[in-house]
Amino acid sequence: FTLDYGSAPYGVVFTPDGTKGLLTLAGKSTLAVFNPSTGAITRRVTLPEGGDVRGIAVSADSRTAYVTRFRSKMARGEVYKVNLATTAAPVVIALPVDTTTPATEAAAPGVANYMNQIVISPDGRRAVLPSKKDNIVQGRFRKQIDLKADTTVRSILSQLDLAQGREVFAEQIDFNNRAPARAAIFAPSGNYLFVAEM
């Protein structure tokens, strides 16, 4: 199929039932739904403007898609929940800015950012988002405290409770002294999660 200029296609997945293909158009903040057999785009779901959408995951029943906003807002990170039957306006799942974690050698406050991927656990109850955490809370302008190398940008893995539609902040994983988390995959049984950092 042909895409408009500046569409910037990024993520592509197919629903488990094989009836739909999904493609994120980062340059248009759009989720395109297409026919896997013909390649024809059947629907376009407009996501929040400037969303720079990238990663996609689909529920096992093929009814719901979750799409990541790559570059977060100053106020929060965002994941968009899309009903694939109605393709109505998406529900926003927020990843709020962490303002409570003390800045130490092993942790820091900030916002989840550069979310390329979202992965649903085999039991369908959780989703994980590998990313980095940018400390936008502190610094000389905000707190009159200079940022340090180990408290400015951190590698994290955020977790969402899909039934509740919210982040489980208490189970956010902070990878100390690591490059940003870029990709993740669950073992088939769900008892292990593998994360690539680069």
Side-chain angles (χ1 to χ4, degrees):
F1 47 80
T2 302
L3 298 173
D4 297 333
Y5 176 80
S7 292
Y10 189 86
V12 61
V13 299
F14 296 91
T15 56
D17 63 9
T19 62
K20 299 178 184 70
L22 306 174
L23 175 68
T24 49
L25 304 178
K28 302 291 185 182
S29 291
T30 298
L31 177 67
V33 182
F34 64 92
N35 183 315
S37 300
T38 65
I41 294 178
T42 56
R43 279 175 289 178
R44 294 175 188 260
V45 183
T46 301
L47 301 172
E49 187 177 355
D52 192 15
V53 292
R54 296 219 176 170
I56 319 168
V58 182
S59 60
D61 62 8
S62 300
R63 294 180 181 176
T64 308
Y66 298 89
V67 181
T68 67
R69 179 187 182 109
F70 178 61
R71 288 176 289 199
S72 296
K73 297 179 178 181
M74 289 293 287
R76 64 188 187 183
E78 293 181 346
V79 171
Y80 308 120
K81 179 181 178 180
V82 179
N83 183 320
L84 294 176
T86 65
T87 57
V91 174
V92 178
I93 300 175
L95 288 83
V97 177
D98 168 18
T99 60
T100 60
T101 300
T104 67
E105 180 277 331
V111 64
N113 198 14
Y114 280 27
M115 292 184 286
N116 268 309
Q117 185 190 37
I118 180 168
V119 183
I120 298 175
S121 61
D123 65 7
R125 298 170 62 184
R126 290 284 179 99
V128 298
L129 296 114
S131 69
K132 65 188 179 85
K133 186 180 192 181
D134 295 334
N135 187 348
I136 61 170
V137 177
Q138 300 176 328
R140 180 162 293 276
F141 177 74
R142 293 178 181 269
K143 297 286 185 179
Q144 293 73 54
I145 301 171
D146 289 332
L147 292 171
K148 298 179 181 177
D150 52 7
T151 61
T152 303
V153 179
R154 307 212 35 104
S155 176
I156 64 166
L157 187 80
S158 302
Q159 299 197 50
L160 303 181
D161 180 325
L162 296 181
Q164 298 294 321
R166 62 178 180 82
E167 181 184 13
V168 186
F169 179 73
E171 296 184 21
Q172 183 182 94
I173 299 171
D174 187 314
F175 301 101
N176 196 23
N177 296 326
R178 296 289 185 268
R182 297 292 178 88
I185 188 170
F186 281 95
S189 62
N191 59 336
Y192 286 102
L193 175 67
F194 302 92
V195 180
E197 298 172 288
M198 60 188 85

